[in-house]
Structure formats: structure tokens, C-alpha cells
Amino acid sequence: MTTKISSDAGAAQPGSFGDDERRNADAKQEMLKRIRDAQQLSGTPKHVDVVRNYNTTSDKGADELRELLIDRLVDYGAAVVETTEADLAADIKKAIEDRDWKNPVYAPGMDEKLFAELPGARPDDTSKDPRDLGDVVAVTDSHVTCAVTGTIVLQADDVCGRRALSLVPDHHVCVVRPETVVYGVPEMIGRLDPLKPNTMISGGSATSDIELVRVEGVHGPRDLVVMVLH
């Protein structure tokens, strides 16, 4: 009796490993084995308490924090407008109109009086499809800002808006208040609610490919205007 062997009997079947996949899996297991062996030989304990004595306070004053933040924001290519609560509405209007931006949409929890003189301004309707935000100018408040890294954090709520409002549009005007500016990252993280979505912004969206060609607006608004309040 003759047994016929199919020519594709040795080929990888759907859901199974081929030669390359198996080689990669074997290599991974070998690396993990060497790590475990090294830990055993060095007497590394199974559990190590991680020291987390981060600096969560700073002695820097509001003026110093503001200057440091502005320096970082300008370095990232953001436009910075120093303003006050009394002038905020006029400065938001001027920033948008000077750039000939149209269709401003603001976070629904922001004071509507800030936009009373801004033609066409309306609160964001969170029931609408986020894709409809592609041609608007987003205006939001902010939750906390790290001066040393120039990172503004928007926490999903009424004054910062849904995440889509600060990610889909090409243009974003963001308000930063002095009481929300801290020095370092640990202090910034300490003010976040881990149960809410948070968006961290360090300048306008920009990236580059392998040839280092800079492309703006890929992961969020390409234009960021920050209203830094005194």
C-alpha cells in the first residue's frame, strides 16, 4: 500500500505558526529564560517596593511658573496670548478673527458670555458625530498644566470638552488659568482623575517620518493658541 504525501503538508496552516513566527516566539522565550536565570543567580528578590518619593510641590511663584510655561510653549511652536479674566473674551475673539478662522465651537461648560461677541460661536453638541468637528475652531479651558514640560492637560468634562473637541479640529484655542499651573510632572499627575480620559498637549500636533520630514496636524490640531491668564 502506497501513502501519498501532499506537497503542502508541511506548509503553515491558518492559525498555526510558520517558520518565521515560530523562530520569533522561540527567541522571545529564550530571552525571558535568560532574564529569569540572571535574576536567580543575582539573588534578586521576587518583590521589590518601588520608591516613589517624587517631588510633588514647588516653591516657585505664579510669575516664575508662567514665564517658564510660556518659554516652553513658544519653543513648541504654540502661539501665546497673555491676558486677564477681564480681557479674555476680547482676546479669544481677536485671536480667531486675526487668523480668519471660522466656525468656533466651545466646550459646553465654558461661560457663554466669553463668546457673546464672537460671530457664529456655539457650544459643542456632544451628541453629534465627532467627524463633524473637522472644520471647526475648538475653544476649551484646561484642567492642569505642567510648566517645566509645557504640557497642558484636558480632562474630559464640561469646561475642557470631550476628547474629540481637542483632537479632531485643525485649530485649538486653549485657556490656561494661573491656579492650574504647577511646576513638575508628579504634581500634574496628582491632580488628574484616573477614571476620566485625559488629553496631554505639548504644542500643536507634529510628527516626522523616517526622513525627518515634519508633518503637522496628524494626531490633533496643527495650530494651538494658548490664552495664559495672569
Side-chain angles (χ1 to χ4, degrees), residues 80-93:
V80 176
V81 178
E82 296 187 61
T83 185
T84 63
E85 194 69 52
D87 296 329
L88 181 58
D91 284 334
I92 290 175
K93 181 175 184 290

Side-chain angles (χ1 to χ4, degrees), residues 20-31:
D20 289 341
E21 290 82 358
R22 187 171 300 284
R23 185 163 52 248
N24 291 337
D26 290 344
K28 177 180 178 181
Q29 292 304 317
E30 176 63 23
M31 286 188 290

Side-chain angles (χ1 to χ4, degrees), residues 66 69-70 73 78-85 87-99 101 110 114-115 118 137-142 145 152 172-178 180-181 224-230:
R66 184 176 60 253
L69 171 62
I70 291 173
L73 291 172
V80 176
V81 178
E82 296 187 61
T83 185
T84 63
E85 194 69 52
D87 296 329
L88 181 58
D91 284 334
I92 290 175
K93 181 175 184 290
K94 185 176 187 302
I96 292 175
E97 291 184 340
D98 284 356
R99 292 166 174 79
W101 292 344
M110 296 185 74
L114 290 172
F115 309 97
L118 186 58
V137 179
V139 185
T140 73
D141 214 301
S142 57
T145 296
I152 303 169
H172 182 197
V173 179
C174 186
V175 178
V176 173
R177 303 177 185 278
T180 68
V181 180
L224 176 63
V225 179
V226 183
M227 298 285 163
V228 179
L229 270 67
H230 283 242

Side-chain angles (χ1 to χ4, degrees), residues 124-205:
D124 180 32
D125 183 351
T126 57
S127 67
K128 295 293 184 63
D129 191 323
R131 289 173 291 187
D132 294 337
L133 296 170
D135 61 350
V136 311
V137 179
V139 185
T140 73
D141 214 301
S142 57
H143 182 74
V144 62
T145 296
C146 175
V148 75
T149 64
T151 303
I152 303 169
V153 184
L154 275 59
Q155 187 164 267
D157 57 24
D158 286 344
V159 296
C160 294
R162 53 176 169 165
R163 293 195 74 209
L165 182 59
S166 60
L167 292 175
V168 177
D170 258 355
H171 316 299
H172 182 197
V173 179
C174 186
V175 178
V176 173
R177 303 177 185 278
E179 65 273 15
T180 68
V181 180
V182 299
Y183 177 74
V185 172
E187 190 174 357
M188 176 187 76
I189 297 297
R191 293 198 184 191
L192 302 181
D193 184 345
L195 300 180
K196 291 185 178 180
N198 295 289
T199 302
M200 297 184 181
I201 303 169
S202 299
S205 171

Side-chain angles (χ1 to χ4, degrees), residues 9-128:
Q13 301 300 313
S16 67
F17 276 168
D19 289 344
D20 289 341
E21 290 82 358
R22 187 171 300 284
R23 185 163 52 248
N24 291 337
D26 290 344
K28 177 180 178 181
Q29 292 304 317
E30 176 63 23
M31 286 188 290
L32 292 174
K33 180 180 180 300
R34 291 187 183 187
I35 292 172
R36 288 190 291 265
D37 290 345
Q39 289 177 326
Q40 290 179 354
L41 290 171
S42 65
T44 303
K46 292 183 177 180
H47 175 76
V48 177
D49 291 324
V50 179
V51 179
R52 301 189 184 279
N53 55 345
Y54 309 124
N55 292 326
T56 56
T57 59
S58 169
D59 58 359
K60 297 185 183 301
D63 291 343
E64 190 174 0
L65 288 174
R66 184 176 60 253
E67 292 304 315
L68 179 59
L69 171 62
I70 291 173
D71 177 76
R72 299 297 190 268
L73 291 172
V74 171
D75 187 50
Y76 294 151
V80 176
V81 178
E82 296 187 61
T83 185
T84 63
E85 194 69 52
D87 296 329
L88 181 58
D91 284 334
I92 290 175
K93 181 175 184 290
K94 185 176 187 302
I96 292 175
E97 291 184 340
D98 284 356
R99 292 166 174 79
D100 199 29
W101 292 344
K102 307 296 183 184
N103 201 16
V105 174
Y106 57 90
M110 296 185 74
D111 187 354
E112 62 182 12
K113 294 178 182 178
L114 290 172
F115 309 97
E117 303 299 323
L118 186 58
R122 69 181 191 280
D124 180 32
D125 183 351
T126 57
S127 67
K128 295 293 184 63

